[in-house]
Amino acid sequence: MDADEIRSAFLDHLARHGHAVIPRARLVPDDDPTTLFTGSGMQPLLPYLLGAEHPGGRRLVDSQTCLRVQDIEEVGDNRHTTFFEMLGNWSLGDYFKDEQLPQFWGFLTDTVGLDPARLYVSCFIGDAANGIPKDDESAAVWTRLFAEAGVSADQVEVDTEEHAAEVGTGGARIAFYGKKNWWCREGSADDMPVGEPGGPDTEVFYLFPHVEHDPAYGAHCHQNCDCGRFIELGNSVFMEYRRTETGFEPLPRRNVDYGGGLERIAAAAIDSPDVFRISLLRPIVERLEELSGRAYDDETLAMRVIADHLRGATFLAVDGVRPSNKAQGYVMRRLVRRAVRFAVDLGIDDNFFPHVVPTVAEVYAAAYPEVAAAADDVVAVLAREEHAFRRTLRRGLERLESHRDTGITGADLFVLHDTYGFPVELSTEVALTQRMSLSESWREEFDEQMAQQRARSRGEQAGQAR
């Protein structure tokens, strides 16, 4: 199955289980000033998970476009992208673990056709200090599902990712982690304010046995290892507790919040640990191969970054964002600039966005027709930004190269930022990839120059006021 087929099958699968299909929310949240972007499928539904009644009822399903800029530096490996789709289903006080886990299992194994013997899971180990028990219920459901598929399911308690990497799991099918398998908006049960909901979650991983474990990530591989041998396909959060003055109490209405990465499930479906080979990203990569005359296998990092960033920038433009130096516009500008920088590495010197955006629009024409409808406007916006930045990029790269022999200080980075309009994060990235010497204290040196500039600015403003 390709990604479009998986998306449609997921929506159909849950609709047959009584779920109302709801449309995607924009990447820019409509009523949430606390965050720049929609970064998860549950984010637009948070009011309903907290108790409000949804007009679609108590069973919902969608495929939500998401953007997580905190992953921008990780783009380039086999599975991280800033833009992605999250398949999601929710039970708002309706069903719980006994129904959620089998329906997700059935989707992965029966509908998508994944091999049950290559599925592994994690569950919550419990929190004795806060009186929250180990999630033996989810583990029992998983044990039954594995047994029905003829797969043995040993269990192991590892608590932390560091401990798991140190001692291993012994190949156990079900691994119990602590904070990693607890969901709340604060990240930790101890940090939750009174009244805040939370609960255990259980995650599903797919094993790629032909990927060798990289010892740089620890002596042993495990479900949550970052070496790429395991890829998380999705997680089911069971929101069943509320923080009180004295600890935790059960919520009057328990919810299920499931989110699964479409790109990752599609990669598992074609037995590839590389999400950039799936049907949503491979056409963009192939277009880059045509434009550059180079092969993906030889220029993997650059093509992954460009494909991801252009896809994200395209959807941001469709959802009304325009490049600027503030908020969402700054993130969009950063995506565009990183894409251009890596295009230079590929030898693509001419403006290339108008040649790639139509490919992105074509890939998403069926699922999100609004992308194709806005394609001409998106091309105009992004091409204008690309053209402007290419001039800045040339000047900045020349200035950086002039410091190759002497090394680059924070003061040098400030000049690039202040005089040449060259973003500091891009300067440091170029310096590292081009193996230029970068001062260990560049951040402090850069911040000092920024502080001096602000002081000068305040002084000038005060003088003008007099």
Side-chain angles (χ1 to χ4, degrees):
M1 300 178 75
D2 67 20
D4 279 331
E5 292 169 333
I6 291 171
R7 185 196 300 109
S8 295
F10 178 77
L11 298 176
D12 292 343
H13 178 77
L14 272 297
R16 288 195 299 271
H17 284 77
H19 292 68
V21 180
I22 58 177
R24 80 173 182 100
R26 296 191 316 138
L27 286 178
V28 180
D30 291 325
D31 300 307
D32 186 358
T34 65
T35 183
L36 289 178
F37 301 108
T38 301
S40 67
M42 61 79 64
Q43 190 173 325
L45 291 169
L46 190 57
Y48 309 105
L49 289 167
L50 295 177
E53 294 296 327
H54 194 282
R58 292 195 168 191
R59 294 185 173 212
L60 309 172
V61 62
D62 73 357
S63 184
Q64 176 61 48
T65 53
C66 302
L67 192 76
R68 290 183 184 172
V69 188
Q70 58 264 39
D71 291 337
I72 192 169
E73 304 297 344
E74 297 186 56
V75 174
D77 67 11
N78 65 325
R79 62 201 181 281
H80 281 98
T81 57
T82 58
F83 176 89
F84 60 95
E85 281 186 75
M86 186 71 80
L87 303 177
N89 68 265
W90 295 268
S91 165
L92 306 177
D94 192 347
Y95 60 84
F96 210 50
K97 300 175 185 179
D98 285 342
E99 185 169 344
Q100 166 59 23
L101 300 184
Q103 74 181 4
F104 179 36
W105 173 273
F107 171 69
L108 291 178
T109 59
D110 297 335
T111 305
V112 180
L114 300 186
D115 181 358
R118 290 170 62 178
L119 294 175
Y120 289 72
V121 303
S122 65
C123 296
F124 182 56
I125 200 171
D127 184 348
N130 285 302
I132 304 169
K134 180 180 177 182
D135 189 8
D136 288 317
E137 296 173 84
S138 292
V141 176
W142 288 126
T143 300
R144 173 173 59 82
L145 292 169
F146 279 118
E148 290 172 354
V151 178
S152 62
D154 293 340
Q155 299 182 15
V156 65
E157 295 185 5
V158 293
D159 192 13
T160 67
E161 295 159 274
E162 293 78 14
H163 184 61
E166 180 182 344
V167 303
T169 63
R173 192 72 51 172
I174 303 172
F176 287 87
Y177 294 81
K179 292 180 180 179
K180 184 69 175 65
N181 281 90
W182 173 261
W183 182 90
C184 64
R185 288 187 291 183
E186 287 69 29
S188 167
D190 292 331
D191 296 329
M192 293 169 61
V194 172
E196 184 74 8
D201 84 322
T202 180
E203 302 176 353
V204 178
F205 302 82
Y206 197 67
L207 171 67
F208 292 96
H210 48 285
V211 175
E212 293 189 11
H213 172 62
D214 184 347
Y217 295 96
H220 298 277
C221 196
H222 57 102
Q223 276 89 323
N224 276 300
C225 184
D226 280 331
C227 73
R229 185 172 167 82
F230 285 97
I231 290 185
E232 181 190 342
L233 301 183
N235 71 322
S236 298
V237 174
F238 300 115
M239 201 179 296
E240 54 181 317
Y241 296 102
R242 178 169 52 200
R243 182 85 191 193
T244 69
E245 294 282 359
T246 57
F248 286 84
E249 66 180 11
L251 282 171
R253 189 176 86 172
R254 303 183 303 178
N255 301 318
V256 174
D257 164 24
Y258 163 75
L262 173 60
E263 287 85 350
R264 295 183 177 190
I265 295 173
I270 61 172
D271 198 19
S272 171
D274 184 356
V275 300
F276 289 86
R277 296 189 183 277
I278 69 171
S279 58
L280 297 178
L281 284 160
R282 184 62 197 176
I284 307 172
V285 169
E286 289 174 347
R287 190 74 180 103
L288 295 174
E289 288 180 315
E290 293 172 3
L291 292 170
S292 66
R294 303 185 188 182
Y296 172 68
D297 290 339
D298 297 328
E299 302 286 354
T300 306
L301 173 63
M303 291 191 183
R304 284 174 174 174
V305 171
I306 297 169
D308 168 72
H309 289 9
L310 265 186
R311 188 173 65 150
T314 295
F315 269 86
L316 283 175
V318 169
D319 285 349
V321 179
R322 294 296 180 264
S324 71
N325 289 325
K326 296 182 180 179
Q328 290 95 345
Y330 177 73
V331 173
M332 184 185 198
R333 175 161 282 168
R334 188 178 178 195
L335 291 173
V336 169
R337 290 178 170 183
R338 287 191 89 227
V340 172
R341 207 279 287 174
F342 278 96
V344 171
D345 287 352
L346 292 179
I348 303 177
D349 295 324
D350 297 323
N351 291 344
F352 75 108
F353 284 15
H355 302 290
V356 182
V357 171
T359 301
V360 178
E362 184 178 351
V363 165
Y364 287 97
Y368 304 113
E370 65 268 28
V371 181
D376 290 344
D377 289 339
V378 172
V379 166
V381 169
L382 298 186
R384 191 161 50 244
E385 183 70 11
E386 178 190 3
H387 180 71
F389 181 61
R390 279 189 180 271
R391 295 194 300 271
T392 299
L393 183 62
R394 284 193 293 271
R395 294 195 298 268
L397 291 176
E398 290 170 358
R399 182 79 181 185
L400 274 173
E401 186 62 34
S402 71
H403 293 287
R404 180 177 289 277
D405 295 333
T406 59
I408 302 168
T409 67
D412 298 327
L413 296 175
F414 177 78
V415 171
L416 279 160
H417 162 79
D418 190 52
T419 305
Y420 296 89
F422 209 63
V424 65
E425 66 271 7
L426 195 55
S427 295
T428 54
E429 184 174 59
V430 171
L432 292 172
T433 57
Q434 296 298 317
R435 301 186 183 279
M436 298 178 183
S437 176
L438 187 62
S439 169
E440 291 184 0
S441 56
W442 70 263
R443 171 54 72 182
E444 292 81 3
E445 296 162 358
F446 178 85
D447 289 344
E448 182 180 352
Q449 293 291 321
M450 285 291 290
Q452 292 177 9
Q453 184 197 55
R454 294 191 187 100
R456 288 193 299 269
S457 178
R458 286 194 295 270
E460 290 172 359
Q461 291 173 358
Q464 292 170 359
R466 289 194 297 270

